[in-house]
Amino acid sequence: RICNCLVQYLLEKKLFSPLCQIIIMRKCLTQKMWETSEYQVQQVEKIGKKLGKFLIQGGITSLELLENVGPRELEVVAGRNPPFGSKVKEAYQRSVPKYSLEVEKAYTPKGDVDLIITLKNK
């Protein structure tokens, strides 16, 4: 609740640098894990502590690395049989949202600049 209060206060005061830090801190507290933790792969529903340790030992220490590794490589690292890797990859697809942000600049007849910001969920 304190983080939410700080977010609202900083938004109102337009203090964006500390706002960014508070939002990151709130996310970390919600996930019960720091954003730089090598255990962040455990946020995926099929990955617990034991599998998380195997993945870390295999060099898969972030969600980005988990996204780019193939299902068969996951099975080798985890010491599990197919279709385990495919199930983990499916769980990853459901657990981790993908967003893209597009920004367009448009000029008004008065000489003002309008920014058109589009957020898409891939």
Side-chain angles (χ1 to χ4, degrees), residues 46 70-72 74-75 81-94:
K46 295 279 184 187
R72 304 299 81 88
L74 279 173
E75 292 159 358
N81 295 323
F84 177 77
S86 298
K87 289 181 180 179
V88 170
K89 293 294 280 188
E90 288 170 12
Y92 172 84
Q93 296 296 329
R94 287 191 309 270

Side-chain angles (χ1 to χ4, degrees), residues 30-57 60-64 66 74 88 91-92 95-96:
T30 301
Q31 295 295 329
K32 298 179 183 170
M33 182 176 310
W34 296 115
E35 68 173 353
T36 56
S37 172
E38 58 186 16
Y39 291 98
Q40 61 180 276
V41 294
Q42 291 180 8
Q43 295 177 50
V44 176
E45 68 183 54
K46 295 279 184 187
I47 300 176
K49 289 185 180 200
K50 184 176 179 182
L51 178 57
K53 287 181 182 180
F54 282 127
L55 292 176
I56 290 166
Q57 290 170 352
I60 303 168
T61 57
S62 70
L63 293 174
E64 291 81 18
L66 181 62
L74 279 173
V88 170
Y92 172 84
S95 301
V96 181

